[in-house]
Amino acid sequence: MLKTLGKVFTGLAAGAMLMAGAVAPAAAQVEPQAINFRTPFDCGQVWNANTRTNHNPQNAVDFQRSGAQGKNVRSSAPGKVTTVRDLGNTSYGKYIVVTHSGGWQTLYAHLSAFNTSVGRSVSTGTIIGKVGNSGGSSGPHLHYEQKLNGSVRRVVLNGLAIKYFGNTTVTSSTGC
């Protein structure tokens, strides 16, 4: 009887988490991470994390919000800046790549400005750029990718998986 009640309460708790918008990582779809990637924005900012099947690459996330233009973009984890590049009006536009331990990288694209340089060591929360509308963007937002050994993976921030495919509201706790 107690085992049955325990299973019922576990099921109810999982259902309540899903209804509240919490997203649990799916074991078959989310890469185990040795790094605790953090939300790449200032503490307390609320962003919409958008994912869609026609996104390129598909596992990337677009972070959007009202007044996004010029907001700080922060490194999601400690690492070394390996790319700072401006592709002009095409593709990623202004973008940055930070290389982390264990074969992980993060990419931050469509920036309006850079606040870093190649070779710089960064900590979690270091300001590396500003949100913009560069490249092939159709409005101010941050295009964000997490890569493992060069392959784009589904994004996990603060230990929680971003919902695929749809929208997830994320409140940054970086630097709080």
Side-chain angles (χ1 to χ4, degrees), residues 21 23 49-52 61 154-155 161-168:
V23 181
N50 176 267
T51 59
R52 56 191 186 280
V61 172
R154 290 195 171 192
V155 170
I162 299 298
K163 182 172 80 175
Y164 285 81
F165 294 97
N167 297 291
T168 305

Side-chain angles (χ1 to χ4, degrees), residues 1-21:
M1 176 75 170
L2 288 176
K3 279 187 176 179
T4 302
L5 284 175
K7 288 180 183 177
V8 168
F9 285 125
T10 301
L12 289 172
M17 285 176 59
L18 289 173
M19 289 175 64

